[in-house]
Amino acid sequence: MGFFTDSLLSALKLLLSFDPDLWEIVGVSLRVSLISTALAALFGVPAGFFIAIRPISFKPAIITVLNTLLALPTVVIGLFVYTFISRRGVFGPLDLLYTQNAIIIGQIILILPIVMAFTISAISRIDTRYRKTALTLGASQVQAALVVLKEARFGITAAIVAAFGRVISEIGISMILGGNIQGFTRTMTTAIALEYDKGEFIQAVALGIILLAISLSVNILLNYVQGRVNK
């Protein structure tokens, strides 16, 4: 118990000292996670909307595939992307491996099914008469789509928040594609793993506290948004 208390107190002191190395790691994590979430939302929300409103014959198959991909291990995605961006891969000449861009690519693949599946679910709950009425009143296809998206905004927001919560805490993609390079690709999760291997627990505990605080904030926001959806 004394070891835990000492480590916790030392970690709190490290946080309050605003150690630049510590907050640099936090900054890298937030940067890659926010960018990957934004890009996944940019592509995933329109794709989910299209799948939800169009009478596609193989829609159940698409939804089944998306639901299956929700549980895809991060290390599998990391290895998959690695085969394409390594020096012997198709995109090897782009020198993406062990960069933040590589992590972002892997994280987008990880959370794109989340955004799409949750968007489909949110759009499917909206009465189809909203869109039909808008079109009847002279709205364009884009305007009618915006009407539906407005009605489903809380469900879509929940999808994006859940996606961010998934990437901020992942480790497999960051480790395999980022390489855990200090000051460049080292994220909170990879730093925690490294400090544990070294037997240095203070920074690991400090990063764990920050990660828990972020995860708690994400879950509070998600519960709030889901509460608005169910009203």
Side-chain angles (χ1 to χ4, degrees):
M1 189 65 182
F3 173 73
F4 173 78
T5 304
D6 291 342
S7 298
L8 183 60
L9 291 175
S10 298
L12 291 174
K13 290 180 182 178
L14 183 63
L15 288 173
L16 295 175
S17 69
F18 295 98
D19 179 72
D21 292 334
L22 178 73
W23 292 105
E24 184 178 54
I25 294 170
V26 176
V28 172
S29 287
L30 290 174
R31 181 178 185 275
V32 296
S33 297
L34 287 171
I35 292 176
S36 61
T37 302
L39 292 175
L42 182 64
F43 292 101
V45 172
F49 176 83
F50 179 81
I51 294 171
I53 67 170
R54 301 299 295 179
I56 305 173
S57 58
F58 49 90
K59 185 185 296 186
I62 295 176
I63 295 174
T64 299
V65 171
L66 289 175
N67 289 336
T68 301
L69 293 176
L70 295 180
L72 191 63
T74 59
V75 289
V76 174
I77 296 175
L79 289 172
F80 174 77
V81 177
Y82 180 89
T83 60
F84 284 93
I85 66 175
S86 64
R87 291 189 179 276
R88 293 182 295 175
V90 177
F91 301 107
L94 298 179
D95 291 326
L96 290 170
L97 190 61
Y98 304 138
T99 65
Q100 291 184 15
N101 289 335
I103 299 175
I104 290 170
I105 291 171
Q107 290 185 344
I108 290 173
I109 295 174
L110 173 66
I111 61 175
L112 191 59
I114 296 175
V115 176
M116 290 178 62
F118 285 21
T119 298
I120 292 171
S121 177
I123 298 296
S124 298
R125 291 182 177 183
I126 305 302
D127 195 325
T128 57
R129 288 176 294 183
Y130 279 101
R131 182 169 176 270
K132 292 178 180 178
T133 301
L135 292 172
T136 301
L137 294 175
S140 64
Q141 291 289 345
V142 174
Q143 290 172 327
L146 290 176
V147 170
V148 176
L149 288 173
K150 183 180 179 180
E151 292 297 319
R153 62 189 183 278
F154 293 118
I156 294 173
T157 301
I160 296 172
V161 172
F164 176 77
R166 181 81 165 97
V167 291
I168 194 67
S169 60
E170 72 82 23
I171 185 172
I173 292 171
S174 299
M175 188 72 77
I176 295 173
L177 301 180
N180 201 17
I181 303 171
Q182 184 175 3
F184 187 47
T185 60
R186 182 166 297 171
T187 63
M188 286 187 284
T189 51
T190 58
I192 290 172
L194 176 66
E195 295 301 313
Y196 169 78
D197 288 338
K198 291 164 53 180
E200 301 289 340
F201 296 102
I202 296 176
Q203 190 179 67
V205 173
L207 289 169
I209 292 172
I210 297 173
L211 189 57
L212 282 172
I214 293 174
S215 298
L216 177 61
S217 301
V218 168
N219 278 284
I220 291 173
L221 179 58
L222 183 59
N223 287 333
Y224 170 77
V225 173
Q226 287 179 335
R228 296 297 298 270
V229 172
N230 294 328
K231 284 185 178 180

